Amino acid sequence: SELGRCCALSFRQRMSWAMQCQSYLPWGSWTQLRRSLSGSRGTRSVYLCAASVPGELGSSCWPLGCVRYQGGSQEHSVQPSSSRHSQSQLRNVASSDAIKKHKKSLSAWFSHQPNEERQFGPSFSLDAVHVDPVIRESSLEEILKPSPDLTIQNQLQQPCSQVISLQNLFDVDACGRQVKNVVLYGTVGTGKSTLIKKMVVDWCHGRLPRFELVIPFSCEDLSHSHAPISLRRLITKKYQHLRDVVPMLGASNLKVLFILNGLERLNLDFRLAGTELCCDPNEPVPPSAIVVNLLRKYLLPEASIIVTTRPSAVRRIPGKYVGRYAEICGFSDTNLQKLYFQMRLSQPGCSGENSAGSSSGEQENLVEMLSRNLERHNQIAAACFLPSYCWLVCTTLHFLYFTRTVPPSQTLTGIYTSFLRLNFSGEVLDSTDPTNISMMKYVAKTVGKLAYEGVMSRKTCFAEDDLQQCFEVEMKTESELNLLDVFRSDVFRFFLTPCVQPGKEHTFVFTIPAMQEYLAALYVVLGEKKTLAQRVGKELSEVIGKVSEDVAVVLNIISKVLPLRFLPVLFNLLKIFPRYFSRLSGKDRDAIAHTMAEELFKEEDYYNDDVLDQINSSILGVEGPMRHPDEAPDDEVFELFPIFMGGILSRRNRAILEQLGCSIKNLAAFEIAKAMKKTVIRNSRKGLPPSELMDYLFFLHEFQNERFTAEAIRSLRTVNLSSVKMTPLKCSVLASVMGTTCHEVEELNLTSCNLDTSSLRILFPVLLRCKALHLQLNSLGSDACKEIRDLLLHDKCVVSNLRLANNPLGKQGAQYLAEALAGNRSLTHLSLLHTALGDQGVEVIAQHLAANQHLQELNLGYNSLTDTAALRVVEVAKKHATLDKVHLYFNDISEDGKQVLHSLRMDRDGVRALVFLTAGTDVSDYWSNILNVVQRNLPFWDRERVQQHLALILQDLESSRRQTANPWRKAKFLRVESEVKKMLGKLQHGTL
């Protein structure tokens, strides 16, 4: 009856009466009253007036929209009446200078790329290289139900019927309700933070017109503060320029979007007993309470909210407060992966500052090879399902192809360490767990163990039993099982993915092969590889070490009261165990160093490609026919494992790992380095094949210990890298490592290493210190000869033996070399065999040869020389002070010219010309040298021409044999003839 009488009153009387009765009615009655008032016909808005004294009408009034929400969606709202003045004021607020400043500030902040972007390649704006990942609409039921078998078919090419764009996340739901709260979730590496950055930048540039104000909050930042603070104070504290806008929040129809990034960092309690209701933006409450009441729609109900989180934390928000669930599925379409690589690798600054023109073709080639590898449904397509791994692939390719210098910050280990920092950034695995173990530490203990056991058993595919052995065998408490559950839902797919090989679909491999070796190295260096006795001993040592301090105080007091002589003895016994264990822990450092040396110098890996080529092949694939499914696979190679161990010990990587919760103490690194001197340096003194030597040099570069590297390099007097494809990166590594010392190198062999002019420029400081320098078979042209001229004319050059055979130097190259010969003081042996000099080139060399006073041997074989050029060189050589040997074989010299050259005598003319295998009626003393040179160079020479020359040599041998009557000489001729015939036979049959 009271309610009926109230409805008949005037509006002002009803409101006055309602406010007077509010304090006398229970909560249920007050709710009924409010519904009755709002449901009366003719009622357009409701004003509640605050009264300081019951029964007395206050003076301040604000509109209250009576809103009913279900599932975070606004079902119906009674719009408050507003005057034209307030509408105009709202428009002014939306376009105010404060919001413009806010946009400018946010744009500058969110467009800022992390250090890793600038460090490992050119920095790009989000607009330049961003590709939106696939976002799929989901539901709480789908999140909570058991996940299906994790196969590639479930990851790639998911049905697109539920795909939703970022701009449509706040559209009405299937029931026609306006969505206000959106939960955007995804596993580690799917691109949640990058997507939010792009969203904010889009709003700043006017590409998100739905909202007039965007206010981003980092939940990690909020989690560090527990002091009560009001919402308005919190906003102005983070964004000071919004102080004029904040008072309008809740008092106008300003379209506001709150972004809460990383909700898993906050411990939220939606129970009324845990978090009280708060609708006043000015009331100080803990930051977590602000977040809870925003999501409850009790605080600023008109505001829209987007929350990003990992899957394990989705259930922390009750479903009734969420209007839409959306899952970030990464690049589940390979076309998105290709688009990302196309945009990233085709950027103008990708190939460096000074090589834009020359490297554009190389960039296109990289993109093409990568696309073909993705189309083969290779394992890399499964890895690039996560956008983070697309970044890692591009960064690694930039490191491999476009690195011209290698500062200490640029190492392969540094790339992987920074990659993990970008994705984990010191996050704890579960903020609700009291241990607060960092995510990376948990990964190192569990996934690292799996990776290490795989490296030791040389396998890359893991069955379910292997996973259970590493993850579940030591689970004893509820907390450990909860951590494992969080790991499986949030992190597992970041490191392990289903295998794509036929017949192995239900096994798992590491997302990127090198990641297995990195985590195995981290597992070992962190000291997680311990026996049960070692673990128990460490725990006992820590316990006894802590207890002994307290026991010491007690024993000292007792010993003063009671004259018990055995107490000090007991006290000393307690100290023995920690000291004994500390000595044993030193053995662990020796074990780590021993493991590193053993894996670095494994003889069964001696003839594999070097590790940089292996990484390149794993990303771009191997061109050629595909392996037959029934063909036996090659043995797995884990040569990066010891290199990563060394890289992790570098100071910079240890500092980053410290941020990730993986601490490696300076003392431990020092002791490991000290132990390595006994093992690594000693093993390196053995003769290493070229590819293994390159791996060793790369290890020293990754280790980033200049003193250790200098000691290791001093022991290398001969450096043989023949047939290693010396990319700019490898040249930079070689120059960097060799630059730690100033000692002279006896021999540097760079035969057939794909060197070019830029390579020689990078290696210039190293080449200066080499006595014997082998540069054969590198396609070096005249431009390279200019660099060689500068090298030979340098006052610190010590090169005495230079071999440039089988390089197209040409006439112009001969001009540069001739200038170098005239001014050089160190060169004694120069080989220009098969360098396309011709008569003109040799004539230029002959003109400058007289100015040289140190050359002893000159090889001009196979250069199409005629009699004139050959005799001209010999005439200059006769007058030369030191030149006593000139090689002229395989040239177009006539019979008359040969007779003149045959007649030269060392004792009379001071020079010997090596033209044929004969010397008059005897075999030349250099016949074996000439044949060895021919045999070594046959794969690179014109075989028909060589066959003609060998036929002429055979005729000459037979003629000389007939002219001599000495049986000993005849036997020598027959022996040489048989060698030439064997070579001719192999040439004709194509077996040489």
Side-chain angles (χ1 to χ4, degrees):
S1 61
E2 289 293 328
L3 290 176
R5 195 161 55 250
C6 176
C7 293
L9 299 175
S10 66
F11 176 74
R12 186 174 294 275
Q13 291 172 325
R14 280 186 289 161
M15 285 304 304
S16 176
W17 180 87
M19 291 303 299
Q20 293 173 20
C21 296
Q22 178 178 357
S23 59
Y24 302 102
L25 290 174
W27 172 252
S29 301
W30 173 243
T31 305
Q32 293 176 3
L33 171 61
R34 187 175 62 177
R35 289 175 181 170
S36 174
L37 291 174
S38 62
S40 302
R41 292 188 178 183
T43 302
R44 296 179 59 86
S45 62
V46 178
Y47 289 83
L48 292 182
C49 303
S52 56
V53 181
E56 186 176 326
L57 195 62
S59 59
S60 62
C61 303
W62 64 92
L64 172 67
C66 298
V67 183
R68 177 170 171 256
Y69 288 89
Q70 184 174 353
S73 302
Q74 182 177 354
E75 184 175 308
H76 178 71
S77 175
V78 179
Q79 298 292 336
S81 62
S82 56
S83 63
R84 292 182 180 179
H85 174 72
S86 63
Q87 292 283 352
S88 175
Q89 187 182 32
L90 173 60
R91 286 193 296 270
N92 291 336
V93 169
S95 60
S96 66
D97 291 339
I99 291 184
K100 289 180 181 178
K101 290 180 181 178
H102 183 58
K103 287 185 176 181
K104 184 178 180 181
S105 175
L106 285 183
S107 178
W109 179 258
F110 281 87
S111 298
H112 178 75
Q113 296 290 350
N115 292 333
E116 287 74 14
E117 283 284 358
R118 299 188 299 275
Q119 181 179 334
F120 300 111
S123 182
F124 306 119
S125 66
L126 282 171
D127 291 336
V129 296
H130 182 76
V131 178
D132 283 331
V134 173
I135 303 175
R136 185 178 61 87
E137 190 167 359
S138 181
S139 64
L140 185 60
E141 292 76 16
E142 187 175 347
I143 297 168
L144 296 178
K145 73 179 181 181
S147 59
D149 291 338
L150 190 60
T151 61
I152 286 299
Q153 289 73 19
N154 289 332
Q155 289 192 38
L156 299 178
Q157 306 293 351
Q158 289 187 351
C160 299
S161 57
Q162 294 179 311
V163 169
I164 185 171
S165 67
L166 188 66
Q167 289 76 14
N168 298 329
L169 286 177
F170 290 95
D171 288 353
V172 295
D173 62 11
C175 300
R177 295 172 297 189
Q178 183 65 48
V179 172
K180 286 293 185 179
N181 288 354
V182 174
V183 172
L184 189 64
Y185 69 94
T187 59
V188 173
T190 49
K192 300 184 293 296
S193 297
T194 304
L195 195 64
I196 290 301
K197 280 186 178 181
K198 182 65 166 55
M199 186 179 187
V200 173
V201 171
D202 283 348
W203 175 77
C204 294
H205 294 156
R207 293 192 290 267
L208 202 64
R210 181 192 292 266
F211 303 106
E212 295 166 299
L213 179 61
V214 171
I215 303 176
F217 282 121
S218 166
C219 292
E220 179 185 9
D221 182 29
L222 298 179
S223 67
H224 295 312
S225 175
H226 302 285
I229 188 172
S230 68
L231 175 60
R232 289 178 177 175
R233 176 71 187 101
L234 181 63
I235 294 173
T236 55
K237 181 180 178 181
K238 307 298 180 185
Y239 308 102
Q240 189 176 3
H241 38 266
L242 290 180
R243 60 182 178 272
D244 296 330
V245 181
V246 166
M248 302 302 297
L249 295 178
S252 65
N253 284 336
L254 189 66
K255 297 177 182 176
V256 183
L257 172 65
F258 286 98
I259 297 177
L260 303 173
N261 188 34
L263 190 75
E264 67 275 357
R265 305 289 189 98
L266 283 175
N267 292 328
L268 302 181
D269 190 349
F270 281 82
R271 298 172 303 154
L272 288 177
T275 305
E276 63 178 347
L277 297 172
C278 175
C279 63
D280 186 0
N282 294 312
E283 182 178 347
V285 292
S288 60
I290 293 176
V291 173
V292 168
N293 282 291
L294 283 173
L295 292 169
R296 284 172 174 168
K297 289 303 169 197
Y298 205 77
L299 182 62
L300 300 186
E302 295 297 331
S304 299
I305 302 173
I306 185 169
V307 173
T308 67
T309 185
R310 302 199 306 256
S312 64
V314 169
R315 66 193 72 180
R316 295 185 190 178
I317 307 176
K320 62 182 178 180
Y321 299 127
V322 180
R324 174 170 283 128
Y325 291 95
E327 180 185 10
I328 303 180
C329 299
F331 295 154
S332 56
D333 187 349
T334 53
N335 290 324
L336 293 178
Q337 301 173 11
K338 292 180 183 179
L339 178 61
Y340 180 91
F341 293 132
Q342 178 72 35
M343 295 175 67
R344 183 73 188 243
L345 294 174
S346 300
Q347 289 294 312
C350 183
S351 57
E353 297 177 0
N354 303 321
S355 55
S358 61
S359 296
S360 59
E362 189 171 20
Q363 290 173 258
E364 294 175 2
N365 186 43
L366 281 179
V367 174
E368 179 63 26
M369 292 177 69
L370 198 51
S371 297
R372 285 202 299 267
N373 204 19
L374 290 170
E375 290 168 0
R376 295 190 191 110
H377 301 288
N378 202 301
Q379 197 69 48
I380 191 174
C384 294
F385 164 77
L386 295 172
S388 294
Y389 277 98
C390 292
W391 179 89
L392 180 61
V393 167
C394 290
T395 304
T396 305
L397 287 176
H398 184 275
F399 178 70
L400 293 176
Y401 281 88
F402 304 118
T403 300
R404 298 296 183 266
T405 58
V406 282
S409 59
Q410 288 204 358
T411 64
L412 186 67
T413 314
I415 289 176
Y416 275 75
T417 307
S418 299
F419 169 69
L420 294 173
R421 194 191 72 81
L422 280 173
N423 286 278
F424 295 98
S425 61
E427 289 188 50
V428 296
L429 182 61
D430 185 3
S431 61
T432 63
D433 187 77
T435 60
N436 277 333
I437 184 172
S438 75
M439 195 180 294
M440 198 60 230
K441 180 70 172 178
Y442 187 87
V443 167
K445 291 167 69 71
T446 54
V447 187
K449 180 182 178 182
L450 180 72
Y452 173 75
E453 292 183 355
V455 169
M456 290 296 102
S457 58
R458 301 179 81 83
K459 71 175 183 180
T460 57
C461 293
F462 303 93
E464 187 68 29
D465 293 340
D466 299 321
L467 301 182
Q468 289 179 356
Q469 184 69 21
C470 286
F471 291 105
E472 298 179 8
V473 69
E474 295 182 4
M475 296 295 151
K476 300 176 182 177
T477 65
E478 183 72 17
S479 175
E480 290 174 336
L481 291 174
N482 290 337
L483 288 175
L484 178 61
D485 185 55
V486 172
F487 170 80
R488 281 188 177 276
S489 63
D490 295 351
V491 191
F492 181 84
R493 284 190 290 180
F494 185 83
F495 292 105
L496 293 161
T497 188
C499 184
V500 299
Q501 295 181 20
K504 296 184 178 180
E505 291 85 356
H506 294 286
T507 61
F508 295 89
V509 296
F510 278 82
T511 313
I512 290 285
M515 186 59 74
Q516 177 179 354
E517 297 177 77
Y518 181 93
L519 293 178
L522 183 62
Y523 176 76
V524 174
V525 174
L526 285 176
E528 296 295 335
K529 191 192 75 169
K530 291 185 176 71
T531 62
L532 180 61
Q534 288 174 323
R535 292 180 182 176
V536 172
K538 182 179 179 181
E539 293 175 0
L540 282 176
S541 175
E542 291 175 353
V543 171
I544 294 175
K546 293 176 182 178
V547 171
S548 61
E549 297 177 2
D550 299 330
V551 172
V553 177
V554 175
L555 290 178
N556 285 332
I557 295 173
I558 295 176
S559 62
K560 292 178 181 179
V561 178
L562 299 175
L564 301 177
R565 296 183 179 180
F566 69 89
L567 291 178
V569 177
L570 178 62
F571 174 64
N572 290 328
L573 287 174
L574 288 172
K575 287 184 175 181
I576 287 177
F577 188 81
R579 290 176 184 173
Y580 178 72
F581 185 80
S582 65
R583 292 180 182 177
L584 288 179
S585 64
K587 300 294 184 182
D588 293 343
R589 317 285 190 239
D590 293 340
I592 292 173
H594 178 75
T595 301
M596 202 179 302
E598 185 179 3
E599 294 295 323
L600 192 60
F601 300 108
K602 270 193 172 180
E603 292 188 7
E604 56 262 39
D605 296 335
Y606 267 13
Y607 299 99
N608 300 321
D609 293 337
D610 62 82
V611 291
L612 293 175
D613 284 348
Q614 292 175 27
I615 294 173
N616 183 68
S617 300
S618 70
I619 294 175
L620 299 180
V622 179
E623 296 296 321
M626 298 291 289
R627 183 190 299 275
H628 192 274
D630 297 334
E631 186 178 349
D634 296 333
D635 291 337
E636 299 294 348
V637 178
F638 297 98
E639 294 183 275
L640 265 176
F641 168 55
I643 293 175
F644 277 143
M645 288 177 69
I648 287 171
L649 287 170
S650 70
R651 184 180 298 274
R652 181 182 176 276
N653 286 317
R654 284 190 285 119
I656 297 176
L657 288 169
E658 181 76 33
Q659 300 172 19
L660 297 176
C662 300
S663 178
I664 304 171
K665 302 299 182 184
N666 289 332
L667 181 60
F670 173 77
E671 290 178 348
I672 293 172
K674 186 177 178 181
M676 283 167 56
K677 291 183 180 180
K678 307 173 186 176
T679 54
V680 174
I681 295 180
R682 184 176 64 246
N683 282 283
S684 69
R685 290 176 181 147
K686 303 174 183 177
L688 294 175
S691 61
E692 287 301 304
L693 180 58
M694 187 68 240
D695 290 347
Y696 178 59
L697 295 174
F698 189 59
F699 164 80
L700 295 175
H701 167 69
E702 294 285 311
F703 191 35
Q704 292 292 306
N705 187 321
E706 190 170 341
R707 182 181 298 177
F708 180 91
T709 301
E711 188 171 342
I713 290 299
R714 286 193 198 96
S715 65
L716 293 178
R717 291 293 177 180
T718 300
V719 179
N720 180 10
L721 296 174
S722 60
S723 300
V724 174
K725 185 179 179 181
M726 294 298 290
T727 61
L729 171 62
K730 294 177 189 176
C731 291
S732 299
V733 168
L734 176 59
S736 173
V737 170
M738 298 294 290
T740 57
T741 67
C742 300
H743 78 288
E744 292 182 359
V745 180
E746 294 295 331
E747 180 180 352
L748 175 60
N749 190 344
L750 296 175
T751 302
S752 188
C753 288
N754 293 84
L755 298 178
D756 56 15
T757 306
S758 63
S759 304
L760 296 179
R761 199 172 294 123
I762 295 171
L763 291 171
F764 193 90
V766 179
L767 303 182
L768 283 174
R769 296 156 40 202
C770 298
K771 293 183 178 180
L773 183 57
H774 302 261
L775 299 176
Q776 308 98 295
L777 295 165
N778 280 296
S779 301
L780 298 175
S782 58
D783 291 340
C785 288
K786 188 185 295 186
E787 295 295 326
I788 295 172
R789 178 197 64 185
D790 297 341
L791 172 72
L792 294 176
L793 292 177
H794 198 281
D795 57 352
K796 293 185 179 180
C797 177
V798 300
V799 177
S800 60
N801 188 345
L802 176 61
R803 298 186 181 182
L804 292 169
N806 299 302
N807 285 299
L809 306 182
K811 177 185 175 182
Q812 184 60 48
Q815 177 67 42
Y816 293 132
L817 291 177
E819 295 172 7
L821 282 174
N824 178 265
R825 298 183 179 180
S826 63
L827 197 62
T828 58
H829 296 75
L830 175 63
S831 174
L832 299 175
L833 174 72
H834 191 223
T835 50
L837 298 180
D839 284 353
Q840 293 180 336
V842 171
E843 182 68 29
V844 172
I845 290 175
Q847 292 173 5
H848 290 77
L849 201 55
N852 181 279
Q853 300 297 319
H854 303 279
L855 194 65
Q856 299 174 11
E857 184 175 349
L858 177 63
N859 191 336
L860 297 173
Y862 203 164
N863 272 295
S864 303
L865 304 185
T866 60
D867 294 4
T868 304
L871 294 173
R872 168 80 171 121
V873 170
V874 170
E875 287 299 320
V876 174
K878 285 181 180 181
K879 303 174 184 178
H880 197 279
T882 58
L883 184 60
D884 59 7
K885 194 181 299 179
V886 179
H887 298 250
L888 294 170
Y889 40 82
F890 279 25
N891 282 303
D892 301 331
I893 301 173
S894 66
E895 290 298 325
D896 293 338
K898 293 173 186 175
Q899 292 300 323
V900 174
L901 295 174
H902 268 310
S903 65
L904 292 174
R905 294 291 182 270
M906 186 65 192
D907 53 353
R908 182 188 66 200
D909 303 307
V911 65
R912 183 185 298 276
L914 279 66
V915 185
F916 280 98
L917 302 185
T918 59
T921 58
D922 198 359
V923 176
S924 170
D925 294 337
Y926 302 98
W927 71 268
S928 60
N929 292 342
I930 295 173
L931 286 183
N932 285 336
V933 169
V934 174
Q935 189 162 1
R936 283 198 309 267
N937 290 279
L938 270 180
F940 320 106
W941 288 358
D942 183 352
R943 295 201 167 205
E944 291 184 4
R945 186 174 178 183
V946 172
Q947 203 166 335
Q948 294 173 4
H949 279 286
L950 287 176
L952 292 174
I953 287 175
L954 188 59
Q955 291 176 12
D956 182 67
L957 286 169
E958 292 171 348
S959 174
S960 297
R961 176 169 52 83
R962 286 192 293 268
Q963 293 176 14
T964 182
N966 189 322
W968 175 249
R969 290 183 179 179
K970 283 182 179 290
K972 287 172 64 178
F973 275 115
L974 288 172
R975 179 187 173 192
V976 177
E977 286 176 30
S978 66
E979 293 293 331
V980 175
K981 287 178 180 178
K982 283 181 184 178
M983 196 175 295
L984 270 172
K986 290 181 178 179
L987 270 175
Q988 292 168 355
H989 292 92
T991 58
L992 189 62

